Amino acid sequence: MIWSLSFDPLVPLWLLAGAGGIAVLLAIAAFVLRLPAWPLRWLAMGLLVLALAGPAIEREDREPLQSVVAIVVDESQSQRLAGRADTTAAALAALEQRFEALPGYELRVVRAGRGTAASTEGTALFSTLASSLADVPPERIGGAVLLTDGQVHDIPGKASDLGFTAPLHALVTGTADEIDRRLAIARAPRFGLVNSQQVVTLQLKDQGPAAPSGRVPLTVRRDGEIVTRLQITPGGTIDIPVEIAHGGDNIFEFSADPLPGELTRLNNQVVVTIEGIRENLRVLLVSGSPHAGERTWRNLLKSDASVDLVHFTILRPPTKQDGTPTNELSLISFPTRELFSVKIDEFDLIIFDRYELRSVLPLLYFDNITRFVRGGGAVLVAVGPDYAYDRSIYRTPLSPVLPAVPTGVVHEEPFRAAISETGARHPVTRGLPGANATPPAWSRWFRLIDAVVTTGGETLMTGGDEDKPLLVLSREEEGRVAVLLSDHVWLWARGYEGGGPHVPLLRRLAHWLMKEPDLEEEALRLEARGPEVIAERQTIGTSAEEFTLTLPGGETRRLTPVEVSPGLWRASTPAPDLGLYTVDDGTRKALVHVGPPNPREFADVLSTTETLDPLAEATGGAAVRLRGEGASPTAIDMPRVVPLRRANDYAGDGWIGFRSTDASMLKGIDRYPLFSGLLGLALLLGAAVLTWYREGR
């Protein structure tokens, strides 16, 4: 409660000032002339002027405001190490209990440091502190406390940047005797040619007062499989050659053996993703004879910049003799030995387009092609009527790897190609434009070679009223084979009856044969998209097993996939932490690294007071440890909390202080005029009567 005197003039100020001036002149004249009772004349005139000024006594009813203290709880990944989370919880409970016993303080507890996993800024506490006090006037801020391990990455350069003049205290979890081992990427390529070697440079560092020295075993994995083991010396760097085995992402995981007693193993491993790029896909196209669809294959393959095409069309067999001298022929002879013996391994895909036996390729070379397939090569056979008869390519040593056995029947009647149940789930034929219509929205074909699919073959497309096999794919050891049982795909290319999706079909088919990772029919993938990780299962089966997702800290989650399109199952979950995520469905495994290769959060995980001590001292606060060496995480040495009105230092041995504010909130005002009503009239009349009485004496 505050009392004060205020004025509310009854006349304008200029008139009040004039009246006051006249009163002063009359008072001076009365004094100079020594008029009777001149002091009483002064009193009467003064009371009159004071009454015109409207004096009043005011009483203010005020409520004292509380000082606001912010407690910022660090919930970053490093705070979950070595019992630091338990220490933080115990310290927070103790602070809340002690402030409850102190009147005049408002406590605000905010949590920070657990942002999105893709963050590259490390632990940010001061931005959260500023947000928590944004609505508080600076004079009401009593101070701030950081419950952290000291690894903070947004520390202001000077105390004035905090936005308040109250003390800042840091209560540091962790102990001074911690040790840790860290593996970091010094240099790594992002791309590499398939079958080439790239070099990854790594650094290994042992941190802490008692970290041992000596060579450390290092394990290198590619796509989850161990490829090599070697030794590395802490404090130095090492160049590790890695082989790019396939196109798409090659995920290399490097892990150093743990240090006994270290804080965490999370920073003992790093992941490098190198995208495998094929320099050029070499394709050999052999056309058995000129026909209307020959140019369809050539145009398609020539339009792909990543394909080097070698194309031969057999116009005449070697047995044909018409007497023309060899030096006058405008065509070259088919280089069978160079292509199918010497240089066969240089090709990624061999296409036989309506090839028939005409004594061009000796049967021995078909043995080479079979070995080429089983060793990892690919063959596509696009057949015509020749496939059904005696001169069929099936009547060669290539037959063991061909998944379609001809029956000798050729169906020459109009039909529309259709996607089989398996084909609807296979990446090669899934989602082809026009496939969802009934009948499919593409033109008819007029020839289908009847065949029986062998064990291991998958029928993706069918034709005819009896759903005869039209497109058959199979795997043969390390290689792949496809058979297209019609030579009328060119009708789609020519736009007959509206055409059809020949480009996506044939391009996907060729790239599946050449092992494009995105077209694998059985695959498990894991990728990071923003704040989530998404597990995706591609299968030609009718169901997908549950996923087991392993987080960087070792925690596991069960994910139930949902079919988003035929053969494609997907599940997603938030990715709260930086590091390596692994998904497993029981038969396959995939992994992805979330966040930067060398996250700031794990650049140094040892607890420290050195990072925050300069700023805390500049505000009068302190940075102190809560635990001694070997102490239990909950056995903390909590400083006393002391309220202070004004001080230069807000910390001492075993105590921390907080500022108490003088701010208050006005609740109401009571005003008592001094010259209102009978009281004012009595004072004025009393002064006049007293003056008259004195003059009469």
Side-chain angles (χ1 to χ4, degrees):
M1 187 176 297
I2 300 175
W3 295 88
S4 63
L5 180 65
S6 66
F7 296 89
D8 185 14
L10 301 177
V11 296
L13 289 178
W14 63 268
L15 185 57
L16 180 63
I22 294 173
V24 170
L25 291 176
L26 292 176
I28 294 174
F31 173 75
V32 172
L33 296 176
R34 296 293 178 176
L35 295 178
W38 62 266
L40 294 177
R41 295 176 186 269
W42 283 21
L43 176 61
M45 289 186 290
L47 288 175
L48 179 60
V49 173
L50 184 60
L52 293 176
I57 295 176
E58 291 183 351
R59 186 189 67 177
E60 295 181 356
D61 186 9
R62 289 184 172 271
E63 179 183 352
L65 294 178
Q66 294 180 319
S67 298
V68 178
V69 176
I71 300 179
V72 183
V73 181
D74 183 358
E75 291 189 338
S76 61
Q77 281 183 259
S78 59
Q79 269 285 84
R80 285 174 259 162
L81 305 177
R84 294 177 184 176
D86 295 334
T87 302
T88 301
L92 178 59
L95 280 173
E96 291 177 331
Q97 182 179 6
R98 296 185 183 192
F99 272 102
E100 283 181 2
L102 292 179
Y105 285 96
E106 175 190 343
L107 207 58
R108 293 189 178 183
V109 179
V110 292
R111 301 178 184 274
R114 194 175 177 120
T116 61
S119 172
T120 60
E121 300 302 322
T123 301
L125 302 186
F126 285 91
S127 58
T128 304
L129 173 61
S131 298
S132 69
L133 297 176
D135 61 334
V136 183
E139 63 271 13
R140 284 194 57 200
I141 298 177
V145 182
L146 305 181
L147 294 177
T148 178
D149 56 10
Q151 296 297 341
V152 184
H153 304 108
D154 65 341
I155 302 175
K158 50 186 182 296
S160 59
D161 294 336
L162 289 173
F164 57 84
T165 56
L168 173 73
H169 303 290
L171 302 183
V172 179
T173 59
T175 59
D177 60 342
E178 297 167 339
I179 59 174
D180 187 60
R181 171 170 289 164
R182 174 177 176 254
L183 187 64
I185 302 170
R187 186 171 56 254
R190 296 179 58 190
F191 308 96
L193 295 177
V194 175
N195 297 325
S196 70
Q197 278 197 343
Q198 301 293 321
V199 175
V200 177
T201 303
L202 301 178
Q203 293 176 335
L204 184 66
K205 185 177 181 181
D206 287 347
Q207 301 169 305
S213 59
R215 294 179 66 79
V216 177
L218 182 73
T219 304
V220 182
R221 293 179 174 86
R222 181 181 58 224
D223 299 329
E225 301 294 332
I226 296 177
V227 293
T228 186
R229 298 180 188 270
L230 40 85
Q231 301 283 324
I232 183 173
T233 302
T237 61
I238 183 172
D239 293 334
I240 302 177
V242 294
E243 183 179 358
I244 310 303
H246 55 78
D249 288 344
N250 292 255
I251 301 177
F252 294 93
E253 180 185 353
F254 305 88
S255 56
D257 280 10
L259 186 64
E262 69 171 322
L263 276 176
T264 178
R265 299 184 182 184
L266 292 179
N267 55 1
N268 289 24
Q269 60 182 8
V270 294
V271 174
V272 175
T273 301
I274 304 177
E275 184 177 353
I277 300 175
R278 294 183 183 273
E279 184 175 12
N280 270 320
L281 300 171
R282 291 180 55 84
V283 178
L284 173 61
L285 173 60
V286 181
S287 298
S289 60
H291 68 100
E294 177 184 2
R295 184 156 292 276
T296 299
W297 287 104
R298 179 178 178 85
N299 290 344
L300 176 72
L301 296 169
K302 291 293 288 185
S303 66
D304 193 335
S306 64
V307 171
D308 282 345
L309 177 64
V310 178
H311 182 199
F312 285 93
T313 301
I314 301 173
L315 298 179
R316 50 182 282 171
T319 55
K320 181 179 179 181
Q321 299 293 335
D322 57 6
T324 305
T326 304
N327 59 358
E328 294 182 11
L329 290 174
S330 60
L331 304 175
I332 64 172
S333 59
F334 194 19
T336 55
R337 180 177 178 275
E338 288 79 3
L339 294 178
F340 296 101
S341 179
V342 179
K343 298 182 178 181
I344 187 172
D345 292 330
E346 296 180 6
F347 292 100
D348 299 290
L349 171 63
I350 298 175
I351 301 176
F352 288 101
D353 177 29
R354 285 194 54 168
Y355 182 86
E356 60 179 305
L357 298 180
R358 300 172 66 187
S359 302
V360 175
L361 284 180
L363 294 181
L364 175 63
Y365 290 159
F366 286 101
D367 268 332
N368 293 345
I369 299 171
T370 300
R371 285 193 294 269
F372 164 75
V373 170
R374 289 173 172 163
V379 166
L380 168 60
V381 180
V383 304
D386 49 85
Y387 193 70
Y389 305 138
D390 292 341
R391 292 193 295 181
S392 169
I393 193 175
Y394 191 82
R395 313 301 179 188
T396 69
L398 188 61
S399 60
V401 299
L402 294 178
V405 181
T407 63
V409 178
V410 177
H411 302 280
E412 295 194 344
E413 55 189 19
F415 69 92
R416 292 186 189 273
I419 306 298
S420 68
E421 290 186 9
T422 300
R425 297 187 292 268
H426 200 289
V428 170
T429 48
R430 181 177 59 215
L432 283 177
N436 292 331
T438 305
W442 47 56
S443 69
R444 296 174 296 169
W445 292 358
F446 296 90
R447 182 182 292 134
L448 176 64
I449 287 63
D450 194 274
V452 176
V453 178
T454 62
T455 302
E458 298 288 348
T459 301
L460 305 191
M461 297 182 71
T462 61
D465 296 335
E466 299 179 4
D467 292 332
K468 298 290 187 180
L470 177 59
L471 176 62
V472 183
L473 275 58
S474 72
R475 294 170 178 262
E476 185 68 26
E477 295 185 8
E478 299 297 322
R480 305 183 182 190
V481 180
V483 178
L484 182 60
L485 293 163
S486 176
D487 58 346
H488 279 187
V489 70
W490 62 272
L491 292 173
W492 284 1
R494 299 282 181 88
Y496 174 73
E497 293 183 345
H502 72 288
V503 173
L505 172 62
L506 299 183
R507 183 162 290 164
R508 292 182 197 176
L509 180 58
H511 282 272
W512 178 85
L513 287 164
M514 292 182 284
K515 302 179 182 179
E516 180 69 32
D518 291 341
L519 293 170
E520 292 294 319
E521 67 270 31
E522 296 292 338
L524 180 63
R525 304 181 183 93
L526 185 65
E527 62 177 324
R529 295 181 189 172
E532 293 185 325
V533 288
I534 298 176
E536 191 174 82
R537 175 74 164 98
Q538 164 63 51
T539 178
I540 57 175
T542 57
S543 63
E545 298 295 329
E546 276 193 336
F547 302 149
T548 300
L549 181 72
T550 304
L551 277 64
E555 175 189 353
T556 60
R557 296 178 183 176
R558 298 291 291 177
L559 304 179
T560 302
V562 176
E563 190 173 23
V564 295
S565 63
L568 191 62
W569 301 73
R570 189 176 293 159
S572 63
T573 186
D577 300 329
L578 301 170
L580 185 65
Y581 289 75
T582 306
V583 68
D584 192 331
D585 68 349
T587 57
R588 286 173 174 78
K589 181 180 178 182
L591 51 145
V592 68
H593 188 273
V594 174
N598 295 316
R600 294 185 67 181
E601 182 64 26
F602 292 109
D604 188 353
V605 295
L606 302 184
S607 64
T608 178
T609 60
E610 296 178 0
T611 56
L612 292 167
D613 193 57
L615 182 63
E617 287 188 358
T619 65
V624 297
R625 287 190 180 274
L626 293 171
R627 291 169 53 198
E629 296 180 8
S632 167
T634 55
I636 60 175
D637 186 10
M638 189 68 191
R640 294 180 293 112
V641 175
V642 179
L644 298 171
R645 184 70 64 179
R646 293 284 187 273
N648 292 325
D649 293 325
Y650 288 87
D653 187 13
W655 64 274
I656 55 176
F658 296 91
R659 192 179 72 175
S660 297
T661 182
D662 294 326
S664 61
M665 181 177 64
L666 180 63
K667 298 179 66 177
I669 299 176
D670 294 328
R671 194 169 188 273
Y672 304 99
L674 296 179
F675 285 89
S676 65
L678 295 176
L679 176 62
L681 181 61
L683 288 174
L684 292 176
L685 290 176
V689 170
L690 186 60
T691 303
W692 173 77
Y693 173 77
R694 179 67 183 85
E695 287 182 349
R697 295 293 297 271

